[in-house]
Amino acid sequence: MAGIAPNARSRRIEESATLAISAQAAAMRQRGVDVVSLGAGEPDFPTPGPIAAAGIQAIEQGNTRYTAAAGVPKLRAAGARWLRATFGLDYEPAEVMVCAGAKAALHMALAALVEPGDPVLILAPHWVSYPALVTMADGVPAVVPAVPEQGFVHDAATIAAAVRRHGARGLVLNFPNNPSGAVPTRAQLQAIVDVARELDLWLVSDEIYGTLLYDGAVHVSPAALPGGRERTLVVSGFTKSHTMTGWRTSFLAGPQPVIDACGRIQSQVLGNACTISQAAMLTACEVPLPDDQARRQRAFGERRAFLLEALADIPGLALPAPRGAFYALVDARALGRARGLDDVTMARQLLEQHRLAVVPGSAFAAPGFLRLSYAVSLDQLREAISRLRAYAEAK
Ligand code: PMP
Ligand code: GLU
């Protein structure tokens, strides 16, 4: 008798590497080990007061019942205005739905777009969850190898060749990129959109880091470019920019027939994003918090500058400057070669021997690299770098 057992699809789903590493670091900390975690990317700032207060008020006023599956109409309308003001995107409220985090938005998007067996192109380095999310939608993830020598932005010819090779029907984009921090120029992105148009691909564009930019980088959404809007679903929100990580909110925007389909799916698998969190998200949309945002931007900028300087003089390591998000994808290939180690082993040794949690690049299809999240205090980062240096300089 077999009893119950997980099916073949679920067996293909691995646990999120970023969350697993953070859980491991948290468990070590609980045992009293002074581990420094640059694992999962979660800002160290609190959720801004007015946003948290809106959640509290929702509870106090009894705003705690089901909402429409696709979200409170007022929030969908506010989302459309926010997407226009922030990224120049042109959506009607009915083309914007509220999901329970970017992860859930990606899931609804893929569930509505992927036909069983469809190959879906994912550009490496890619955020850990994309292949699993495609698999969950019964698609087949097809990962295009990373191009570190091109600043981690693929050119159109490489993408077109990969689409043809795999027979891909869709492409997942993520700029600013987690883990590389890459931000393409408008022309580079237009070239990718042109490939999508030519080869009739849909695009799912994960823009959750769209407002976290450095060195004058500008975020452009493929949906804002000619030929982009009609084939793109945009995932966006406040998870990272406003530390709404635990609130589980996001926007999914795109052509209405697809958003309607996503709404029908959400109505069956989730119902609605948390009502209290939707009230908080409405405040995030409507109440500008310039001081809070400037403080964050300044802090991230400082940490990034610190890392760029520190990494420039650690033997065997190099850091190509990230232009967005809050990750440093450290090139540890020289160190790995010198030691005969891969990135997974180096990350394990860093944790076991130096009590420093980082994510191996292999989790993002960037073998030989190590991802450091700099969404932690400068003090933590200084300590992390001294541990990393001790590891790299050890004979
Ligand atoms: N996309 C990217 C690129 C991410 O780094 C993350 C991590 N939080 C997510 C999506 C998921 O975000 P959320 O917490 O809103 O589900
Ligand atoms: N997205 C963050 C990261 O890449 C948080 C962890 C996760 O959701 O996987 O670290």
Side-chain angles (χ1 to χ4, degrees):
M1 283 287 282
I4 60 167
N7 65 9
R9 183 179 57 202
S10 70
R11 289 199 303 271
R12 288 199 296 275
I13 306 291
E14 289 175 10
E15 185 186 1
S16 159
T18 44
L19 295 184
I21 284 158
S22 288
Q24 204 180 344
M28 286 172 74
R29 208 172 279 142
Q30 268 208 328
R31 292 201 305 274
V33 182
D34 73 327
V35 62
V36 176
S37 179
L38 306 187
E42 177 161 33
D44 53 324
F45 309 98
T47 306
I51 297 176
I56 293 168
Q57 197 185 46
I59 296 174
E60 286 176 349
Q61 293 183 347
N63 182 12
T64 52
R65 298 176 173 237
Y66 292 140
T67 72
V72 177
K74 210 171 153 190
L75 179 55
R76 299 177 75 183
R81 285 194 299 275
W82 179 78
L83 288 166
R84 182 167 294 116
T86 314
F87 302 123
L89 292 168
D90 184 21
Y91 291 111
E92 294 298 321
E95 295 176 308
V96 178
M97 73 182 266
V98 184
C99 298
K103 258 179 206 179
L106 289 160
H107 176 68
M108 302 307 160
L110 293 166
L113 290 171
V114 176
E115 296 289 354
D118 272 358
V120 176
L121 225 56
I122 296 169
L123 308 178
H126 60 75
W127 177 52
V128 283
S129 296
Y130 299 139
L133 285 162
V134 168
T135 302
M136 290 283 294
D138 285 336
V140 179
V143 176
V144 186
V147 286
E149 65 290 350
Q150 288 175 211
F152 294 110
V153 178
H154 294 79
D155 55 61
T158 303
I159 295 177
V163 171
R164 293 200 173 93
R165 193 166 59 251
H166 293 283
R169 307 299 309 276
L171 169 62
V172 179
L173 293 177
N174 169 221
F175 298 116
N177 181 261
N178 174 5
S180 70
V183 177
T185 62
R186 178 179 287 266
Q188 285 173 317
L189 193 67
Q190 181 69 63
I192 296 174
V193 170
D194 289 346
V195 169
R197 186 161 47 178
E198 230 176 87
L199 302 179
D200 197 20
L201 300 180
W202 50 255
L203 300 173
V204 168
S205 179
D206 180 350
E207 304 177 27
I208 198 68
Y209 297 99
T211 57
L212 288 162
L213 299 159
Y214 313 96
D215 281 352
V218 176
H219 172 64
V220 180
S221 171
L225 293 176
R229 189 189 187 285
E230 61 270 29
R231 60 186 61 255
T232 303
L233 285 185
V234 175
V235 174
S236 190
F238 303 95
T239 307
K240 306 295 179 175
S241 57
H242 293 64
T243 320
M244 291 193 71
T245 42
W247 295 81
R248 313 312 299 139
T249 57
S250 64
F251 288 127
L252 178 63
Q256 198 179 335
V258 189
I259 292 299
D260 286 349
C262 294
R264 292 195 299 275
I265 295 167
Q266 179 154 289
S267 79
Q268 298 290 4
V269 300
L270 176 74
N272 56 269
C274 171
T275 305
I276 300 151
S277 299
Q278 289 191 63
M281 194 190 201
L282 183 61
T283 295
C285 283
E286 290 188 331
V287 179
L289 299 165
D291 294 346
D292 174 88
Q293 290 296 295
R295 198 162 45 243
R296 286 165 191 259
Q297 194 67 36
R298 210 167 35 243
F300 287 138
E302 257 172 38
R303 298 166 188 185
R304 174 180 172 275
F306 166 73
L307 283 179
L308 282 169
E309 200 182 312
L311 264 306
D313 102 299
I314 300 184
L317 302 180
L319 175 58
R323 286 163 38 86
F326 40 57
Y327 303 102
L329 190 62
V330 174
D331 186 346
R333 289 176 295 183
L335 184 65
R337 264 195 309 275
R339 302 247 168 114
L341 299 175
D342 62 17
D343 55 292
V344 175
T345 309
M346 289 192 279
R348 203 187 55 231
Q349 290 182 342
L350 276 165
L351 186 58
E352 288 172 357
Q353 300 166 8
H354 296 268
R355 305 172 320 284
L356 173 62
V358 302
V359 187
S362 296
F364 313 98
F369 288 77
L370 299 170
R371 192 195 77 173
L372 282 47
S373 160
Y374 56 88
V376 300
S377 72
L378 205 48
D379 282 349
Q380 290 261 297
L381 220 48
R382 284 205 182 90
E383 180 57 32
I385 287 299
S386 86
R387 294 181 188 198
L388 187 59
R389 185 186 296 280
Y391 176 70
E393 288 177 351
K395 292 290 170 228

